[in-house]
Amino acid sequence: MKTSVALFCAALLLGGATAHAQSTAGNFEVRTTRGIPAGKIAVDLSPDSELGRDLRRLVMEKLAKTGHEVGFSGGHILKLQVNLQRGLASPGGGRGDDEVDRRTGIDAQRPTPQGPARAFEPPRPGSGRNDLLSISMTIHGLQSRELLWSANASCRVGANDAFGAGRNMIDNIFAQPNASRKGEADCPI
């Protein structure tokens, strides 16, 4: 009986952590049991990317403004995850019903391009927000591994909007970092 109760509790904890890690696009959520702990905070980024490093710098600046000593090691560890999923299908649109030759992968209905080929085509205005930027931050207790503070946010973004959207999400999270709350992530229009 004790084993089944322990497994049930573990399943609830894992299910809660999974549900918490996923917020709906365009929203943010901050959860805290004790607030961001006093003392030094090390910010650990995963996965490493240029966008992630830029957003980590903003998080470190926000922590420093709240009176925390910040760095890359020592003290409590804030785990920062920055994920940018590119090329997601836009809701309610796309070319999903095109006829494609399964042997060659060529779309017989698409017209052949005319003129010289270009190595890079800049994004067109109104081309949509087909990328999803999500940010997740957690701080656990040093000895207890208890979740002390967490925040997550996500936005659908266009090709050149990821940094601005990330900055807006971080600003919203750190506007009141020690209060549990939910809201809109202030995604670019």
Side-chain angles (χ1 to χ4, degrees), residues 28-113:
F28 78 92
E29 180 176 10
V30 177
R31 288 188 182 184
T32 181
T33 56
R34 299 183 191 163
I36 297 175
K40 185 173 183 180
I41 305 286
V43 181
D44 179 35
L45 173 64
S46 171
D48 187 27
S49 66
E50 183 178 353
L51 175 62
R53 288 187 297 273
D54 290 341
L55 295 177
R56 175 179 57 192
R57 180 182 46 80
L58 293 177
V59 168
M60 293 172 84
E61 288 173 3
K62 294 288 185 182
L63 287 167
K65 285 181 182 178
T66 61
H68 292 88
E69 182 184 350
V70 294
F72 298 102
S73 64
H76 286 87
I77 297 173
L78 183 149
K79 294 204 178 270
L80 170 65
Q81 292 184 318
V82 176
N83 294 305
L84 181 61
Q85 297 176 349
R86 296 208 177 266
L88 299 176
S90 297
R95 296 182 47 133
D97 57 349
D98 284 348
E99 294 181 23
V100 176
D101 184 339
R102 300 289 176 219
R103 292 175 292 123
T104 63
I106 296 173
D107 181 354
Q109 302 298 319
R110 178 175 268 176
T112 305

Side-chain angles (χ1 to χ4, degrees), residues 90-163:
S90 297
R95 296 182 47 133
D97 57 349
D98 284 348
E99 294 181 23
V100 176
D101 184 339
R102 300 289 176 219
R103 292 175 292 123
T104 63
I106 296 173
D107 181 354
Q109 302 298 319
R110 178 175 268 176
T112 305
Q114 301 298 318
R118 293 185 218 152
F120 173 76
E121 184 176 328
R124 289 177 231 116
S127 64
R129 288 167 174 54
N130 295 333
D131 301 340
L132 180 67
L133 174 63
S134 59
I135 298 174
S136 175
M137 295 180 261
T138 58
I139 301 175
H140 289 86
L142 291 175
Q143 282 79 26
S144 68
R145 300 303 302 153
E146 172 190 8
L147 180 63
L148 302 176
W149 183 88
S150 67
N152 61 57
S154 63
C155 281
R156 279 195 173 272
V157 296
N160 299 319
D161 298 332
F163 178 75

Side-chain angles (χ1 to χ4, degrees), residues 1-11:
M1 180 68 179
K2 288 182 182 180
T3 304
S4 63
V5 170
L7 289 173
F8 177 72
C9 290

